[in-house]
Amino acid sequence: MEVAEIKVSYSNNNVERIKVTNSQILYNLVVKQWDLDLIEFQEEVKIVLLNRANIVLGIYEMSKGGTSGTVVDIKIILGIALKCNASNIVITHNHPSGALEPSEPDKLITKKLKEACRILDLNLLDHLIITRQGYYSFSDNCIL
């Protein structure tokens, strides 16, 4: 009987060292990762992975969904963060409707992810909802 081999790798070829100190820097960074023609069409989730000094290690494109939702799998988020040796993470997603207020499911997944991160000694620094016009920061609004 054969068992599948599991490989874990880490590589940081990030030439530009971007330090995140506030939500505006995060927004400016992640909005560049979206196709602005699709930002009002299809919901997507991306994870920003940072080291302990809040230097960006990279951005992981987690999921693409439909016009009103997409999958946010906490196990995948945590697995990616651990594989990248991240200490801090930020979850970002767009609202195709253009609404910047978080929905109840947005609040629930943030709460669950924060608790899961705490158990693994990771920090969930923020959850950004982005649109073409701006962003909403859970951290800035004291609901993280």
Side-chain angles (χ1 to χ4, degrees), residues 17-58:
R17 307 287 287 177
I18 300 167
K19 182 172 178 81
V20 173
T21 56
N22 60 55
S23 60
Q24 185 67 53
I25 292 171
L26 274 170
Y27 174 72
N28 293 340
L29 175 69
V30 297
V31 78
K32 293 176 188 173
Q33 304 298 313
W34 257 270
D35 179 341
L36 292 181
D37 291 332
L38 296 178
I39 200 166
E40 294 176 342
F41 176 70
Q42 184 179 27
E43 191 164 327
E44 298 180 53
V45 174
K46 299 176 196 268
I47 309 301
V48 182
L49 302 143
L50 306 106
N51 68 13
R52 196 159 295 287
N54 289 338
I55 304 293
V56 175
L57 300 171

Side-chain angles (χ1 to χ4, degrees), residues 1 8-9 16 25 33 40 44 48 50 56 58 62-63 73 81-82 93 97 105 111-112 121 138:
M1 174 161 68
V8 177
S9 66
E16 189 176 358
I25 292 171
Q33 304 298 313
E40 294 176 342
E44 298 180 53
V48 182
L50 306 106
V56 175
M62 179 160 163
S63 67
D73 190 319
L82 293 172
H93 80 283
S97 68
K111 182 179 178 182
K112 288 172 71 174
D121 198 26
F138 278 60

Side-chain angles (χ1 to χ4, degrees), residues 37-105:
D37 291 332
L38 296 178
I39 200 166
E40 294 176 342
F41 176 70
Q42 184 179 27
E43 191 164 327
E44 298 180 53
V45 174
K46 299 176 196 268
I47 309 301
V48 182
L49 302 143
L50 306 106
N51 68 13
R52 196 159 295 287
N54 289 338
I55 304 293
V56 175
L57 300 171
I59 297 176
Y60 178 73
E61 294 187 14
M62 179 160 163
S63 67
K64 290 185 179 187
T67 58
S68 62
T70 190
V71 174
V72 178
D73 190 319
I74 291 174
K75 289 189 293 186
I76 292 174
I77 294 171
L78 297 178
I80 295 298
L82 293 172
K83 187 173 181 179
C84 295
N85 200 31
S87 295
N88 302 308
I89 63 173
V90 174
I91 184 171
T92 65
H93 80 283
N94 64 312
H95 275 177
S97 68
L100 283 174
E101 288 298 314
S103 66
E104 286 306 314

Side-chain angles (χ1 to χ4, degrees), residues 87-141:
S87 295
N88 302 308
I89 63 173
V90 174
I91 184 171
T92 65
H93 80 283
N94 64 312
H95 275 177
S97 68
L100 283 174
E101 288 298 314
S103 66
E104 286 306 314
D106 292 340
K107 292 175 186 176
L108 179 61
I109 198 70
T110 303
K111 182 179 178 182
K112 288 172 71 174
L113 181 57
K114 182 176 180 175
E115 178 61 18
C117 284
R118 185 191 63 74
I119 291 167
L120 294 175
D121 198 26
L122 295 168
N123 297 309
L124 177 61
L125 297 180
D126 207 343
H127 180 168
L128 291 187
I129 298 170
I130 70 164
T131 68
R132 186 187 296 260
Q133 291 76 31
Y135 70 97
Y136 178 94
S137 162
F138 278 60
S139 183
D140 290 354
N141 288 280

